[in-house]
Amino acid sequence: MEYNPKAIEKKWQEHWKNKRTHEPLSDTSLPKKYILSMFPYPSGRIHMGHVRNYCIGDAIARHFRKQNFNVLHPIGWDAFGMPAENAAIKHKSHPKKWTYDNISNMREELDSLGLSFSNEREFATCDPIYSKWEQKFFIDMWNRGLIYRKKGFLNWCPNDQTVLANEQVIEGRCWRCDTEVVQKEMFQYYVKITDYAEELLGSLDTLEGRWPSQVLTMQRNWIGRSEGLSFAFKLTSSSKERIGGSFDSFEVFTTRPDTLYGVTYCALAPEHPLVRELMRQGKLPQESLEALAKMQNIPAKERAMIPKEGVALGLEAIHPLTGEAIPLWAANFVLTDYGSGAVMAVPAHDERDFEFAKKYQLPQKQVILSGVAPSLDEAAYTESGTLINSGIFDGLESESAKEKIIRYFEEHSLGRGVINYRLRDWGISRQRYWGTPIPLIHCPSCGIVPEDFSNLPITLPEDVVIDGEGNPLEKHPAWKECRCPKCGGKATRETDTMDTFVESSWYFLRYTTPKEEWETHALNEAMQRYWMGVDEYIGGIEHAILHLLYARFFTKVLRDLGYTETNEPFTHLLTQGMVLKDGAKMSKSKGNVVDPDELIERFGADTARLFVLFAAPPTRELEWNDSAVEGAYRFIKRLCDKAQFVQKVSSLPQIETATLSKTEKLARKKVHETLLKAQEVYSRKNAYAFNTLIASCMEALNALSDQENPAIFTEGYFILLSVLEPIIPHVAWELSQEYFGLANFKPLAPDTQALKSDSLTIAITVNGKKRGEIEMAPGSSNEAMLEAAKNEVSKWLEGMSIIKEIVVPDKLVNLVVKP
Ligand code: ANZ
Ligand code: ZN
């Protein structure tokens, strides 16, 4: 067959679409696979990372479809977000137009790759019907107290004029525009993800072996569970007086109650209410006030990377066990929103406390005996050990001391054992136009009231001025002014919109519901039960924490609200590696981007697909390589060239295995090994090492070409096309239709006989000269050996008559001939 990718790719893409080949079936008695590559942000054009992501998912989806699974393999668009607004400012376009134009453009690009998406379930998260249900979820959560409004210090990007989540601040800068982030106090809506901290942590265990262990570790650390003691330090009476009676104590949290006798000072976060009160009263020297103000303005994340700094507060607290007076400091290494924002400092046994104590010449007191010779001048001893200088707890080991001290505090009502999580509630409001409107109304007499369900969705007004200054919704009175759903009085809409991570937290659930029901149902109950969880979720490692944690959380919330029964949305997770060129991540700024469109235009989609799956295993980085692209193209061409040796058949040819020559056996072995490898690859034994599967196909094609038996060639070709179909679907469908009537796209099992390598090599001599070799099973009969041998050396026997046949079992056949 002449290889003409343009013609056949278009033909098959249309065929699949017209025949609805890739749409899922509604028959829930069929075995199912839900294969999902993370949906794209409609930035304008697809890049090689997308190509890789969707080709991996597509190969898996196509494989299981061929194995008679009912497959859901949907695509959609994560369509809200700041870039649309930034483009609007820059190009004077409208975010909506910009977004939908990008979607149709990228959709065409994805189509040109021949991806087997369940097209009829496609949606964009900015579609009003999607907003409707998201707003419904928001209201359900609000009514349950799972969403609340709170004033707090937030990361503020002065350039984007918006609040950023902690995760969106990278080294003190905005994740999008790289502007330095400042702290600003304002109202914000929060989702109580902390209510689910325990479950989010605990059920990670069920994902063991199914998710990359690296991702599990990152999630565990992010949730950050620690057990310890929480208790109050009382201020001394003179300190109480000094602060005017507004405070008489403050809480601390420690994971090392066993070090309690080693406390030599306490450190408070710069934002601690007690510190703020001191500042408000101006009861500190001017330079201290200035130093504190400076500390407060540095984003929390950055504080961890700068030298420790502190300000003596001139106050003292009473040690709960020794009664000693302990000095108070404000320190930049104490986090405001962890524990209680204050720590008991033990310089002898904690590194940060040690460093700080050295700098400000604060005393240290050893209370844990170390195994090695103690030299507490250089560093803190942070391990456990035996307690010393610890009153009634002397001689205890750290672990039991912790327990006993916690019990002591509880019995004497001094404090209690607590479990703390590092996880913070998720701030979900953004002061932005292009997002899902928060469905709340501010009424002067009723307070904050959710919008009536019958009025959902609340859609965005289109006639807005987007100039980059503040939230355009604030400046749109016609939209903002409304009626209170409760009292009917004049009220105003909330102008904040939701963080786009909310949309991506439930889109995978939405896909399970057929499009006909999108108006009437958030989720079809029976269908979500059938399709969930996602059997393979494929995406970048950059989503290891944020998206995956929010999606897990949201699923659990929707479960508790009665929308789904799913506990964990993603049964398996495959994190793909980055696509590099010249060793660096492809990026516009580096100018090393390869445009997928050009690649497809030049070589065809099948070459692009073969290249990305062959160049590296999915989880590893993929280095761009021009000659590997050409190699991929040549392989496909060779596959087409070889088709001429195929005998047209409509089922797997039956092979008479007893009499095969060595090369014939070898060819069959290679082919059936490929089939076996395919089974392994798709059962995720080796994280979908498509590269090894493709290499195996290439070897098999070579082995087939090295022998001349048309039945073996045909059988091998029949199998190879089937194995290659998920990878190079267009050419595989074309060849299969031409030669096999597509009969090969069904479950095929390797022939165990062909895989056996226990055959022996039998030399064949004619008149004492070696003329060939055959592969025979050990213990084959003399007759079988003779027959195979004569077959193999037939050209040496032509016109000859055999005078003598000598068979040495398992070793040799010698024929004596004469003309
Ligand atoms: C005294 C102590 C002695 C501590 C010692 C550690 C070692 P994790 O494990 O991450 O939960 N801490 C508590 N609240 C803090 C805050 N808001 N900002 C900074 N540090 C804080 O850490 C808990 C430990 O971190 C606590 O135990 C406390 O220091 C500190 F030899 O208390 B420890
Ligand atoms: Zn009202």
Side-chain angles (χ1 to χ4, degrees):
M1 187 187 89
E2 187 69 35
Y3 181 42
N4 179 354
K6 278 225 171 84
I8 63 172
E9 289 180 0
K10 201 157 176 46
K11 167 182 156 188
W12 286 106
Q13 284 161 16
E14 274 165 18
H15 172 93
W16 295 325
K17 194 166 187 190
N18 296 338
K19 289 271 181 327
R20 304 181 65 240
T21 313
H22 306 134
E23 298 306 325
L25 305 172
S26 52
D27 181 355
T28 55
S29 68
L30 298 169
K32 68 92 187 179
K33 287 283 177 187
Y34 184 178
I35 309 298
L36 184 63
S37 293
M38 291 179 184
F39 68 166
Y41 177 77
S43 54
R45 295 180 73 80
I46 63 166
H47 53 66
M48 285 308 295
H50 290 125
V51 173
R52 189 177 198 196
N53 192 217
Y54 299 115
C55 287
I56 294 168
D58 198 52
I60 300 171
R62 283 179 178 273
H63 169 80
F64 284 111
R65 224 178 263 120
K66 222 151 25 86
Q67 300 297 115
N68 292 335
F69 280 85
N70 189 13
V71 174
L72 177 60
H73 181 224
I75 182 76
W77 307 92
D78 190 11
F80 274 133
M82 280 190 266
E85 272 179 75
N86 296 341
I89 297 162
K90 215 165 146 188
H91 309 301
K92 302 250 173 298
S93 61
H94 193 279
K96 183 175 172 183
K97 183 172 178 337
W98 184 86
T99 303
Y100 283 101
D101 284 353
N102 285 352
I103 288 174
S104 73
N105 183 40
M106 288 171 75
R107 185 62 236 226
E108 244 173 69
E109 293 182 282
L110 289 181
D111 281 344
S112 74
L113 277 166
L115 301 167
S116 67
F117 288 131
S118 316
N119 291 320
E120 291 168 16
R121 308 234 167 156
E122 176 180 344
F123 59 77
T125 56
C126 60
D127 294 344
I129 193 58
Y130 194 79
S131 297
K132 169 171 160 176
W133 295 110
E134 191 163 302
Q135 288 167 345
K136 171 81 165 78
F137 297 152
F138 184 104
I139 292 168
D140 288 352
M141 289 165 81
W142 174 265
N143 290 337
R144 278 217 180 186
L146 276 170
I147 294 179
Y148 62 95
R149 189 170 182 253
K150 185 186 85 174
K151 205 166 190 186
F153 274 92
L154 296 170
N155 305 306
W156 175 259
C157 172
N159 179 55
D160 289 328
Q161 294 273 308
T162 194
V163 169
L164 298 172
N166 284 338
E167 303 88 323
Q168 293 170 334
V169 182
I170 294 154
E171 291 178 16
R173 292 173 178 277
C174 172
W175 69 319
R176 283 215 179 279
C177 69
D178 218 33
T179 304
E180 212 163 300
V181 169
V182 297
Q183 302 298 297
K184 190 172 169 174
E185 192 172 32
M186 54 198 309
F187 276 112
Q188 173 88 329
Y189 293 89
Y190 292 90
V191 184
K192 274 194 188 163
I193 191 171
T194 51
D195 274 11
Y196 286 73
E198 198 182 333
E199 195 194 338
L200 284 169
L201 182 71
S203 61
L204 284 174
D205 293 347
T206 68
L207 302 174
E208 207 69 63
R210 300 161 178 262
W211 281 32
S213 53
Q214 185 196 2
V215 176
L216 293 175
T217 303
M218 286 163 88
Q219 293 229 342
R220 287 191 179 109
N221 291 343
W222 189 264
I223 298 167
R225 179 184 194 274
S226 33
E227 281 178 35
L229 170 70
S230 178
F231 68 97
F233 270 97
K234 292 203 169 74
L235 295 181
T236 60
S237 49
S238 59
S239 291
K240 246 187 279 183
E241 231 165 80
R242 179 143 187 268
I243 198 163
S246 47
F247 280 90
D248 60 3
S249 69
F250 63 93
E251 285 278 321
V252 296
F253 167 68
T254 177
T255 48
R256 294 291 305 269
D258 55 320
T259 64
L260 230 147
Y261 285 80
V263 174
T264 57
Y265 64 97
C266 281
L268 280 59
E271 292 82 4
H272 194 284
L274 201 153
V275 179
R276 289 222 225 167
E277 180 59 18
L278 274 180
M279 288 175 78
R280 197 187 63 80
Q281 296 179 10
K283 284 200 178 139
L284 286 168
Q286 191 55 32
E287 56 176 45
S288 297
L289 290 172
E290 278 166 20
L292 284 170
K294 211 175 133 206
M295 279 195 252
Q296 286 175 350
N297 232 339
I298 295 173
K301 266 202 171 175
E302 200 170 302
R303 292 183 198 174
M305 289 172 299
I306 58 176
K308 301 204 169 26
E309 248 177 69
V311 170
L313 297 176
L315 298 174
E316 284 177 331
I318 305 160
H319 191 290
L321 297 180
T322 66
E324 277 172 283
I326 306 286
L328 266 52
W329 286 69
N332 65 350
F333 69 87
V334 183
L335 308 168
T336 314
D337 58 358
Y338 186 63
S340 56
V343 304
M344 62 174 226
V346 185
H349 302 295
D350 180 90
E351 266 162 44
R352 289 171 303 179
D353 300 346
F354 178 88
E355 218 186 299
F356 191 84
K358 280 268 147 181
K359 179 161 180 176
Y360 294 104
Q361 290 161 353
L362 298 164
Q364 71 184 55
K365 194 175 149 199
Q366 185 183 357
V367 292
I368 305 287
L369 206 56
S370 64
V372 289
S375 164
L376 294 174
D377 291 340
E378 316 266 283
Y381 175 74
T382 59
E383 308 288 304
S384 4
T386 312
L387 272 68
I388 52 170
N389 301 326
S390 295
I392 55 165
F393 303 102
D394 269 356
L396 290 174
E397 292 303 312
S398 286
E399 280 320 300
S400 67
K402 283 181 190 172
E403 276 172 38
K404 294 223 163 79
I405 291 174
I406 290 175
R407 202 178 321 138
Y408 182 94
F409 270 70
E410 285 177 345
E411 278 164 5
H412 293 81
S413 302
L414 291 169
R416 66 213 151 84
V418 291
I419 294 165
N420 243 316
Y421 292 94
R422 224 154 246 292
L423 186 67
R424 298 275 72 95
D425 277 344
W426 172 18
I428 57 158
S429 43
R430 299 288 178 271
Q431 293 64 46
R432 280 291 187 173
Y433 166 75
W434 193 236
T436 309
I438 286 179
L440 295 176
I441 287 164
H442 299 266
C443 170
S445 31
C446 310
I448 299 179
V449 187
E451 177 61 286
D452 270 342
F453 178 64
S454 59
N455 291 336
L456 300 185
I458 302 165
T459 54
L460 293 166
E462 294 199 16
D463 53 335
V464 283
V465 184
I466 297 165
D467 51 14
E469 278 163 33
N471 182 350
L473 294 176
E474 285 284 359
K475 298 178 257 177
H476 196 295
W479 182 84
K480 198 179 162 184
E481 285 161 16
C482 65
R483 294 269 153 198
C484 167
K486 216 166 167 184
C487 70
K490 273 194 175 171
T492 55
R493 287 194 188 288
E494 174 57 62
T495 56
D496 281 0
T497 54
M498 293 188 221
D499 180 2
T500 59
F501 277 107
V502 179
E503 282 91 65
S504 53
S505 291
W506 68 284
Y507 77 108
F508 44 88
L509 281 162
R510 180 67 163 175
Y511 283 139
T512 63
T513 300
K515 196 164 205 153
E516 308 84 76
E517 293 174 33
W518 286 357
E519 283 290 338
T520 52
H521 291 75
L523 302 175
N524 174 312
E525 204 182 307
M527 284 302 167
Q528 67 77 24
R529 196 177 308 129
Y530 172 64
W531 287 113
M532 292 302 289
V534 174
D535 294 283
E536 198 65 65
Y537 194 35
I538 306 130
I541 187 81
E542 67 272 21
H543 298 292
I545 298 174
L546 291 193
H547 162 57
L548 289 170
L549 188 65
Y550 294 151
R552 294 179 60 226
F553 162 64
F554 226 82
T555 303
K556 291 173 194 297
V557 169
L558 292 183
R559 175 201 62 199
D560 292 347
L561 291 170
Y563 287 100
T564 176
E565 286 156 17
T566 310
N567 289 313
E568 281 295 335
F570 311 122
T571 310
H572 293 107
L573 175 70
L574 182 67
T575 47
Q576 61 161 1
M578 280 193 309
V579 182
L580 313 178
K581 191 175 179 204
D582 307 320
K585 184 184 174 176
M586 283 189 184
S587 76
K588 270 191 207 134
S589 59
K590 290 200 197 79
N592 61 348
V593 180
V594 174
D595 180 7
D597 285 352
E598 272 169 38
L599 178 63
I600 296 166
E601 174 63 28
R602 186 143 167 241
F603 295 100
D606 284 335
T607 295
R609 299 174 60 121
L610 184 61
F611 166 73
V612 294
L613 295 179
F614 187 42
T619 53
R620 299 282 181 75
E621 289 176 340
L622 185 159
E623 176 70 47
W624 178 262
N625 178 333
D626 287 305
S627 66
V629 174
E630 280 158 31
Y633 181 77
R634 274 199 308 276
F635 172 72
I636 298 173
K637 223 168 124 30
R638 183 166 147 78
L639 186 71
C640 293
D641 290 345
K642 293 287 170 191
Q644 57 183 307
F645 302 111
V646 170
Q647 302 168 316
K648 293 194 181 188
V649 291
S650 56
S651 64
L652 203 57
Q654 284 303 304
I655 305 293
E656 194 46 68
T657 52
T659 58
L660 297 182
S661 72
K662 190 181 174 184
T663 49
E664 287 167 347
K665 281 208 167 165
L666 184 71
R668 278 203 90 219
K669 187 162 177 256
K670 289 278 179 205
V671 167
H672 286 270
E673 274 172 359
T674 302
L675 207 44
L676 188 66
K677 179 135 249 160
Q679 283 182 351
E680 285 172 11
V681 164
Y682 293 102
S683 66
R684 54 181 355 263
K685 258 190 202 143
N686 43 17
Y688 299 101
F690 297 109
N691 56 324
T692 63
L693 179 60
I694 295 165
S696 181
C697 288
M698 291 172 169
E699 275 177 38
L701 186 65
N702 287 342
L704 284 175
S705 309
D706 286 347
Q707 57 82 53
E708 284 166 359
N709 183 332
I712 289 185
F713 188 88
T714 302
E715 181 211 25
Y717 203 85
F718 185 97
I719 292 171
L720 279 189
L721 285 187
S722 173
V723 172
L724 285 166
E725 188 270 343
I727 298 163
I728 47 173
H730 307 89
V731 71
W733 279 66
E734 180 71 18
L735 290 164
S736 295
Q737 190 197 40
E738 176 70 18
Y739 293 95
F740 308 123
L742 297 174
N744 55 339
F745 292 167
K746 63 178 185 193
L748 298 174
D751 176 358
T752 46
Q753 207 59 39
L755 293 172
K756 278 197 186 131
S757 56
D758 58 356
S759 65
L760 298 164
T761 304
I762 312 289
I764 309 159
T765 57
V766 179
N767 292 344
K769 278 211 171 81
K770 191 174 169 194
R771 297 296 185 196
E773 277 179 3
I774 48 172
E775 293 290 308
M776 297 293 292
S780 296
S781 68
N782 287 2
E783 293 75 55
M785 282 176 69
L786 271 174
E787 194 191 332
K790 287 177 191 169
N791 229 345
E792 179 67 16
V793 297
S794 56
K795 72 171 173 181
W796 301 98
L797 307 179
E798 253 166 59
M800 299 283 185
S801 47
I802 300 173
I803 321 174
K804 207 170 179 186
E805 298 168 340
I806 303 154
V807 178
V808 183
D810 292 348
K811 284 216 171 73
L812 178 101
V813 174
N814 186 21
L815 304 171
V816 182
V817 299
K818 69 168 202 194

